[in-house]
Amino acid sequence: MLARFWGTRGSLPVAPTADIIQKKIAHALVASDGRKFADEVEAEKFVENDLSFAAGGTYGGATPCVEIEAGNGSYLICDMGSGLRQFGLDSMRRNAGGHPKVYNFFLSHLHWDHIMGFPFFVPAFDPEAMIRIHSGHPDAEEALRRQQEEISFPVPFDWLRATFEFVTLTPGETYEIDGVKVETKLQHHSHGSYGYRFTDITGRSVIYSTDSEHKLEKMAVEAAFIHFFREADLVICDTMYSLADSVSMKEDWGHSSNIVAVDLCHEAKAKTLALFHHEPTYDDEDIERMHQETIRYEELTRDGPALNVICSYDGLEVRL
């Protein structure tokens, strides 16, 4: 089972400015302390081994799109954020090598940052492709068609050539989709959002739970989520805000914090937590700082097996 992160930001795509890139280069030059490199390969090793991730790389700026590799070989994709474009191009490369052209999408909800990549999804123009769109929302087709109306986009939905199927899932039921067991759960967010639990034939499980607000003072009512996250190998969780933001000026905005995510995963005895849906105003240093603070909080509150805390970024792969 493998999770590939194609987009990890929330709300809207972001890109580093020229000023940010210049600061990263300047930091690297100072850190190199006059060192000479024989070639780019040697320089890249220095960046990888001697610089922090925030200094030498980036968490990226594409909005949510996560691929789960499991089951009978069809594609399993959570959400259609701007990261979907890059996934689509990569899948075309894999298709040329014989990968089945079957795409199973699972939508958390229909807000723009989670569907905006679909008009740029190249496989949708392939008449040999089969695209199944699973959602808890019966209006999913309406939302996708609406964003491709002429007033918003020059290519209408009806010009797409793939075969489409829209499937409405019911929370509390278990579905078997191309060799993977799928459960869905309603979450607290505007217009509703849905979390997903994917379990492969070996029993390994991945939770995709974004755009869901959990409140520290209401952990007693979160028992259903603790059960949903139970002993998951990987929990991809909405950690958009710090705890201070989530309980003050951004309360009831439909997102959660890194602190509550750790508490839920501890209670559920999950193995790995992936911080996800990064705040678009946070730069790489802000996200890295939150990651380190989350690791420290997990250590201080641990009462049992360690919870591995990772921070998702565009391009990350996690093999279970």
PDB file of all heavy atoms in Angstrom, residues 26-52:
ATOM      1  N   ALA A  26      20.370  32.266  -0.653  1.00  0.00           N
ATOM      2  CA  ALA A  26      21.305  32.971   0.214  1.00  0.00           C
ATOM      3  C   ALA A  26      21.593  32.147   1.475  1.00  0.00           C
ATOM      4  O   ALA A  26      22.749  32.045   1.917  1.00  0.00           O
ATOM      5  CB  ALA A  26      20.732  34.338   0.587  1.00  0.00           C
ATOM      6  N   HIS A  27      20.556  31.537   2.041  1.00  0.00           N
ATOM      7  CA  HIS A  27      20.746  30.691   3.232  1.00  0.00           C
ATOM      8  C   HIS A  27      21.667  29.520   2.910  1.00  0.00           C
ATOM      9  O   HIS A  27      22.559  29.176   3.705  1.00  0.00           O
ATOM     10  CB  HIS A  27      19.391  30.183   3.712  1.00  0.00           C
ATOM     11  CG  HIS A  27      19.479  29.266   4.890  1.00  0.00           C
ATOM     12  ND1 HIS A  27      19.438  29.720   6.192  1.00  0.00           N
ATOM     13  CD2 HIS A  27      19.636  27.913   4.974  1.00  0.00           C
ATOM     14  CE1 HIS A  27      19.553  28.701   7.017  1.00  0.00           C
ATOM     15  NE2 HIS A  27      19.663  27.583   6.303  1.00  0.00           N
ATOM     16  N   ALA A  28      21.458  28.893   1.749  1.00  0.00           N
ATOM     17  CA  ALA A  28      22.289  27.750   1.365  1.00  0.00           C
ATOM     18  C   ALA A  28      23.745  28.162   1.171  1.00  0.00           C
ATOM     19  O   ALA A  28      24.673  27.435   1.557  1.00  0.00           O
ATOM     20  CB  ALA A  28      21.737  27.113   0.098  1.00  0.00           C
ATOM     21  N   LEU A  29      23.963  29.331   0.569  1.00  0.00           N
ATOM     22  CA  LEU A  29      25.341  29.801   0.352  1.00  0.00           C
ATOM     23  C   LEU A  29      26.049  30.052   1.677  1.00  0.00           C
ATOM     24  O   LEU A  29      27.218  29.688   1.852  1.00  0.00           O
ATOM     25  CB  LEU A  29      25.328  31.076  -0.502  1.00  0.00           C
ATOM     26  CG  LEU A  29      24.931  30.890  -1.974  1.00  0.00           C
ATOM     27  CD1 LEU A  29      24.770  32.236  -2.654  1.00  0.00           C
ATOM     28  CD2 LEU A  29      25.963  30.044  -2.709  1.00  0.00           C
ATOM     29  N   VAL A  30      25.339  30.659   2.610  1.00  0.00           N
ATOM     30  CA  VAL A  30      25.940  30.908   3.926  1.00  0.00           C
ATOM     31  C   VAL A  30      26.227  29.583   4.634  1.00  0.00           C
ATOM     32  O   VAL A  30      27.297  29.393   5.224  1.00  0.00           O
ATOM     33  CB  VAL A  30      25.007  31.799   4.771  1.00  0.00           C
ATOM     34  CG1 VAL A  30      25.520  31.886   6.210  1.00  0.00           C
ATOM     35  CG2 VAL A  30      24.902  33.186   4.161  1.00  0.00           C
ATOM     36  N   ALA A  31      25.284  28.643   4.552  1.00  0.00           N
ATOM     37  CA  ALA A  31      25.457  27.341   5.213  1.00  0.00           C
ATOM     38  C   ALA A  31      26.605  26.541   4.611  1.00  0.00           C
ATOM     39  O   ALA A  31      27.257  25.753   5.293  1.00  0.00           O
ATOM     40  CB  ALA A  31      24.159  26.545   5.130  1.00  0.00           C
ATOM     41  N   SER A  32      26.871  26.746   3.319  1.00  0.00           N
ATOM     42  CA  SER A  32      27.952  25.995   2.662  1.00  0.00           C
ATOM     43  C   SER A  32      29.325  26.467   3.137  1.00  0.00           C
ATOM     44  O   SER A  32      30.320  25.739   3.013  1.00  0.00           O
ATOM     45  CB  SER A  32      27.850  26.129   1.148  1.00  0.00           C
ATOM     46  OG  SER A  32      28.143  27.457   0.728  1.00  0.00           O
ATOM     47  N   ASP A  33      29.373  27.709   3.668  1.00  0.00           N
ATOM     48  CA  ASP A  33      30.596  28.229   4.282  1.00  0.00           C
ATOM     49  C   ASP A  33      31.806  28.145   3.347  1.00  0.00           C
ATOM     50  O   ASP A  33      32.895  27.726   3.741  1.00  0.00           O
ATOM     51  CB  ASP A  33      30.870  27.481   5.594  1.00  0.00           C
ATOM     52  CG  ASP A  33      31.885  28.187   6.472  1.00  0.00           C
ATOM     53  OD1 ASP A  33      32.022  29.419   6.331  1.00  0.00           O
ATOM     54  OD2 ASP A  33      32.531  27.514   7.294  1.00  0.00           O
ATOM     55  N   GLY A  34      31.592  28.522   2.094  1.00  0.00           N
ATOM     56  CA  GLY A  34      32.691  28.559   1.130  1.00  0.00           C
ATOM     57  C   GLY A  34      33.062  27.217   0.537  1.00  0.00           C
ATOM     58  O   GLY A  34      34.039  27.116  -0.219  1.00  0.00           O
ATOM     59  N   ARG A  35      32.306  26.187   0.861  1.00  0.00           N
ATOM     60  CA  ARG A  35      32.614  24.856   0.347  1.00  0.00           C
ATOM     61  C   ARG A  35      32.504  24.835  -1.175  1.00  0.00           C
ATOM     62  O   ARG A  35      31.627  25.472  -1.763  1.00  0.00           O
ATOM     63  CB  ARG A  35      31.644  23.840   0.949  1.00  0.00           C
ATOM     64  CG  ARG A  35      31.977  22.385   0.629  1.00  0.00           C
ATOM     65  CD  ARG A  35      30.942  21.437   1.219  1.00  0.00           C
ATOM     66  NE  ARG A  35      30.636  21.739   2.611  1.00  0.00           N
ATOM     67  CZ  ARG A  35      29.794  21.046   3.352  1.00  0.00           C
ATOM     68  NH1 ARG A  35      29.152  20.005   2.835  1.00  0.00           N
ATOM     69  NH2 ARG A  35      29.569  21.400   4.606  1.00  0.00           N
ATOM     70  N   LYS A  36      33.386  24.088  -1.847  1.00  0.00           N
ATOM     71  CA  LYS A  36      33.323  23.932  -3.299  1.00  0.00           C
ATOM     72  C   LYS A  36      32.745  22.555  -3.626  1.00  0.00           C
ATOM     73  O   LYS A  36      33.026  21.573  -2.935  1.00  0.00           O
ATOM     74  CB  LYS A  36      34.711  24.083  -3.932  1.00  0.00           C
ATOM     75  CG  LYS A  36      35.281  25.495  -3.837  1.00  0.00           C
ATOM     76  CD  LYS A  36      36.603  25.609  -4.572  1.00  0.00           C
ATOM     77  CE  LYS A  36      37.154  27.027  -4.498  1.00  0.00           C
ATOM     78  NZ  LYS A  36      36.285  27.990  -5.175  1.00  0.00           N
ATOM     79  N   PHE A  37      31.938  22.502  -4.675  1.00  0.00           N
ATOM     80  CA  PHE A  37      31.301  21.248  -5.082  1.00  0.00           C
ATOM     81  C   PHE A  37      31.790  20.855  -6.472  1.00  0.00           C
ATOM     82  O   PHE A  37      31.875  21.685  -7.382  1.00  0.00           O
ATOM     83  CB  PHE A  37      29.784  21.404  -5.091  1.00  0.00           C
ATOM     84  CG  PHE A  37      29.224  21.855  -3.764  1.00  0.00           C
ATOM     85  CD1 PHE A  37      28.847  23.171  -3.568  1.00  0.00           C
ATOM     86  CD2 PHE A  37      29.104  20.961  -2.712  1.00  0.00           C
ATOM     87  CE1 PHE A  37      28.341  23.599  -2.349  1.00  0.00           C
ATOM     88  CE2 PHE A  37      28.598  21.368  -1.488  1.00  0.00           C
ATOM     89  CZ  PHE A  37      28.216  22.689  -1.297  1.00  0.00           C
ATOM     90  N   ALA A  38      32.099  19.585  -6.624  1.00  0.00           N
ATOM     91  CA  ALA A  38      32.630  19.101  -7.898  1.00  0.00           C
ATOM     92  C   ALA A  38      31.592  19.178  -9.010  1.00  0.00           C
ATOM     93  O   ALA A  38      31.930  19.433 -10.167  1.00  0.00           O
ATOM     94  CB  ALA A  38      33.125  17.661  -7.744  1.00  0.00           C
ATOM     95  N   ASP A  39      30.330  18.960  -8.657  1.00  0.00           N
ATOM     96  CA  ASP A  39      29.270  18.986  -9.669  1.00  0.00           C
ATOM     97  C   ASP A  39      27.928  19.184  -8.962  1.00  0.00           C
ATOM     98  O   ASP A  39      27.847  19.325  -7.736  1.00  0.00           O
ATOM     99  CB  ASP A  39      29.266  17.691 -10.500  1.00  0.00           C
ATOM    100  CG  ASP A  39      29.276  16.441  -9.626  1.00  0.00           C
ATOM    101  OD1 ASP A  39      28.713  16.489  -8.505  1.00  0.00           O
ATOM    102  OD2 ASP A  39      29.848  15.413 -10.048  1.00  0.00           O
ATOM    103  N   GLU A  40      26.844  19.189  -9.759  1.00  0.00           N
ATOM    104  CA  GLU A  40      25.515  19.418  -9.190  1.00  0.00           C
ATOM    105  C   GLU A  40      25.082  18.269  -8.282  1.00  0.00           C
ATOM    106  O   GLU A  40      24.364  18.481  -7.299  1.00  0.00           O
ATOM    107  CB  GLU A  40      24.488  19.612 -10.313  1.00  0.00           C
ATOM    108  CG  GLU A  40      24.640  20.938 -11.050  1.00  0.00           C
ATOM    109  CD  GLU A  40      23.514  21.180 -12.035  1.00  0.00           C
ATOM    110  OE1 GLU A  40      22.536  20.388 -12.040  1.00  0.00           O
ATOM    111  OE2 GLU A  40      23.600  22.160 -12.799  1.00  0.00           O
ATOM    112  N   VAL A  41      25.531  17.056  -8.603  1.00  0.00           N
ATOM    113  CA  VAL A  41      25.170  15.914  -7.765  1.00  0.00           C
ATOM    114  C   VAL A  41      25.700  16.102  -6.355  1.00  0.00           C
ATOM    115  O   VAL A  41      25.005  15.874  -5.358  1.00  0.00           O
ATOM    116  CB  VAL A  41      25.698  14.597  -8.378  1.00  0.00           C
ATOM    117  CG1 VAL A  41      25.484  13.437  -7.413  1.00  0.00           C
ATOM    118  CG2 VAL A  41      25.011  14.329  -9.715  1.00  0.00           C
ATOM    119  N   GLU A  42      26.959  16.549  -6.242  1.00  0.00           N
ATOM    120  CA  GLU A  42      27.561  16.784  -4.930  1.00  0.00           C
ATOM    121  C   GLU A  42      26.846  17.924  -4.204  1.00  0.00           C
ATOM    122  O   GLU A  42      26.633  17.867  -2.990  1.00  0.00           O
ATOM    123  CB  GLU A  42      29.045  17.097  -5.092  1.00  0.00           C
ATOM    124  CG  GLU A  42      29.808  17.131  -3.780  1.00  0.00           C
ATOM    125  CD  GLU A  42      31.303  17.301  -3.982  1.00  0.00           C
ATOM    126  OE1 GLU A  42      31.848  16.619  -4.876  1.00  0.00           O
ATOM    127  OE2 GLU A  42      31.907  18.105  -3.240  1.00  0.00           O
ATOM    128  N   ALA A  43      26.472  18.959  -4.974  1.00  0.00           N
ATOM    129  CA  ALA A  43      25.751  20.084  -4.372  1.00  0.00           C
ATOM    130  C   ALA A  43      24.381  19.644  -3.870  1.00  0.00           C
ATOM    131  O   ALA A  43      23.926  20.081  -2.813  1.00  0.00           O
ATOM    132  CB  ALA A  43      25.615  21.211  -5.392  1.00  0.00           C
ATOM    133  N   GLU A  44      23.724  18.772  -4.628  1.00  0.00           N
ATOM    134  CA  GLU A  44      22.410  18.275  -4.221  1.00  0.00           C
ATOM    135  C   GLU A  44      22.517  17.438  -2.939  1.00  0.00           C
ATOM    136  O   GLU A  44      21.618  17.485  -2.084  1.00  0.00           O
ATOM    137  CB  GLU A  44      21.783  17.452  -5.345  1.00  0.00           C
ATOM    138  CG  GLU A  44      21.305  18.302  -6.514  1.00  0.00           C
ATOM    139  CD  GLU A  44      20.794  17.465  -7.672  1.00  0.00           C
ATOM    140  OE1 GLU A  44      20.805  16.216  -7.561  1.00  0.00           O
ATOM    141  OE2 GLU A  44      20.395  18.054  -8.695  1.00  0.00           O
ATOM    142  N   LYS A  45      23.596  16.689  -2.782  1.00  0.00           N
ATOM    143  CA  LYS A  45      23.799  15.915  -1.560  1.00  0.00           C
ATOM    144  C   LYS A  45      23.957  16.845  -0.358  1.00  0.00           C
ATOM    145  O   LYS A  45      23.466  16.554   0.743  1.00  0.00           O
ATOM    146  CB  LYS A  45      25.020  15.011  -1.704  1.00  0.00           C
ATOM    147  CG  LYS A  45      24.821  13.833  -2.637  1.00  0.00           C
ATOM    148  CD  LYS A  45      26.059  12.953  -2.702  1.00  0.00           C
ATOM    149  CE  LYS A  45      25.831  11.759  -3.626  1.00  0.00           C
ATOM    150  NZ  LYS A  45      27.052  10.913  -3.736  1.00  0.00           N
ATOM    151  N   PHE A  46      24.645  17.968  -0.569  1.00  0.00           N
ATOM    152  CA  PHE A  46      24.780  18.956   0.509  1.00  0.00           C
ATOM    153  C   PHE A  46      23.408  19.498   0.906  1.00  0.00           C
ATOM    154  O   PHE A  46      23.096  19.606   2.102  1.00  0.00           O
ATOM    155  CB  PHE A  46      25.685  20.106   0.051  1.00  0.00           C
ATOM    156  CG  PHE A  46      25.561  21.341   0.903  1.00  0.00           C
ATOM    157  CD1 PHE A  46      26.129  21.394   2.163  1.00  0.00           C
ATOM    158  CD2 PHE A  46      24.850  22.444   0.433  1.00  0.00           C
ATOM    159  CE1 PHE A  46      26.002  22.523   2.951  1.00  0.00           C
ATOM    160  CE2 PHE A  46      24.712  23.578   1.216  1.00  0.00           C
ATOM    161  CZ  PHE A  46      25.300  23.623   2.480  1.00  0.00           C
ATOM    162  N   VAL A  47      22.582  19.840  -0.081  1.00  0.00           N
ATOM    163  CA  VAL A  47      21.240  20.361   0.211  1.00  0.00           C
ATOM    164  C   VAL A  47      20.424  19.334   0.983  1.00  0.00           C
ATOM    165  O   VAL A  47      19.745  19.664   1.966  1.00  0.00           O
ATOM    166  CB  VAL A  47      20.520  20.751  -1.102  1.00  0.00           C
ATOM    167  CG1 VAL A  47      19.060  21.083  -0.829  1.00  0.00           C
ATOM    168  CG2 VAL A  47      21.215  21.929  -1.770  1.00  0.00           C
ATOM    169  N   GLU A  48      20.510  18.064   0.560  1.00  0.00           N
ATOM    170  CA  GLU A  48      19.721  17.006   1.187  1.00  0.00           C
ATOM    171  C   GLU A  48      20.189  16.677   2.593  1.00  0.00           C
ATOM    172  O   GLU A  48      19.367  16.444   3.499  1.00  0.00           O
ATOM    173  CB  GLU A  48      19.769  15.749   0.316  1.00  0.00           C
ATOM    174  CG  GLU A  48      18.945  14.596   0.859  1.00  0.00           C
ATOM    175  CD  GLU A  48      18.965  13.386  -0.039  1.00  0.00           C
ATOM    176  OE1 GLU A  48      19.549  13.463  -1.148  1.00  0.00           O
ATOM    177  OE2 GLU A  48      18.407  12.337   0.362  1.00  0.00           O
ATOM    178  N   ASN A  49      21.496  16.685   2.800  1.00  0.00           N
ATOM    179  CA  ASN A  49      22.051  16.202   4.067  1.00  0.00           C
ATOM    180  C   ASN A  49      22.343  17.295   5.090  1.00  0.00           C
ATOM    181  O   ASN A  49      22.344  17.032   6.294  1.00  0.00           O
ATOM    182  CB  ASN A  49      23.340  15.412   3.808  1.00  0.00           C
ATOM    183  CG  ASN A  49      23.111  14.179   2.954  1.00  0.00           C
ATOM    184  OD1 ASN A  49      22.064  13.546   3.039  1.00  0.00           O
ATOM    185  ND2 ASN A  49      24.093  13.836   2.129  1.00  0.00           N
ATOM    186  N   ASP A  50      22.585  18.523   4.611  1.00  0.00           N
ATOM    187  CA  ASP A  50      23.047  19.569   5.527  1.00  0.00           C
ATOM    188  C   ASP A  50      22.050  20.690   5.765  1.00  0.00           C
ATOM    189  O   ASP A  50      22.235  21.482   6.700  1.00  0.00           O
ATOM    190  CB  ASP A  50      24.362  20.175   5.004  1.00  0.00           C
ATOM    191  CG  ASP A  50      25.515  19.192   5.051  1.00  0.00           C
ATOM    192  OD1 ASP A  50      25.481  18.211   4.300  1.00  0.00           O
ATOM    193  OD2 ASP A  50      26.449  19.396   5.854  1.00  0.00           O
ATOM    194  N   LEU A  51      21.029  20.780   4.942  1.00  0.00           N
ATOM    195  CA  LEU A  51      20.026  21.828   5.117  1.00  0.00           C
ATOM    196  C   LEU A  51      18.723  21.219   5.631  1.00  0.00           C
ATOM    197  O   LEU A  51      18.426  20.058   5.372  1.00  0.00           O
ATOM    198  CB  LEU A  51      19.752  22.541   3.784  1.00  0.00           C
ATOM    199  CG  LEU A  51      20.925  23.266   3.126  1.00  0.00           C
ATOM    200  CD1 LEU A  51      20.453  23.936   1.842  1.00  0.00           C
ATOM    201  CD2 LEU A  51      21.530  24.306   4.067  1.00  0.00           C
ATOM    202  N   SER A  52      17.978  22.000   6.361  1.00  0.00           N
ATOM    203  CA  SER A  52      16.646  21.557   6.765  1.00  0.00           C
ATOM    204  C   SER A  52      15.762  21.457   5.534  1.00  0.00           C
ATOM    205  O   SER A  52      16.062  22.036   4.479  1.00  0.00           O
ATOM    206  CB  SER A  52      16.032  22.535   7.762  1.00  0.00           C
ATOM    207  OG  SER A  52      15.704  23.762   7.115  1.00  0.00           O
TER     208      SER A  52
END
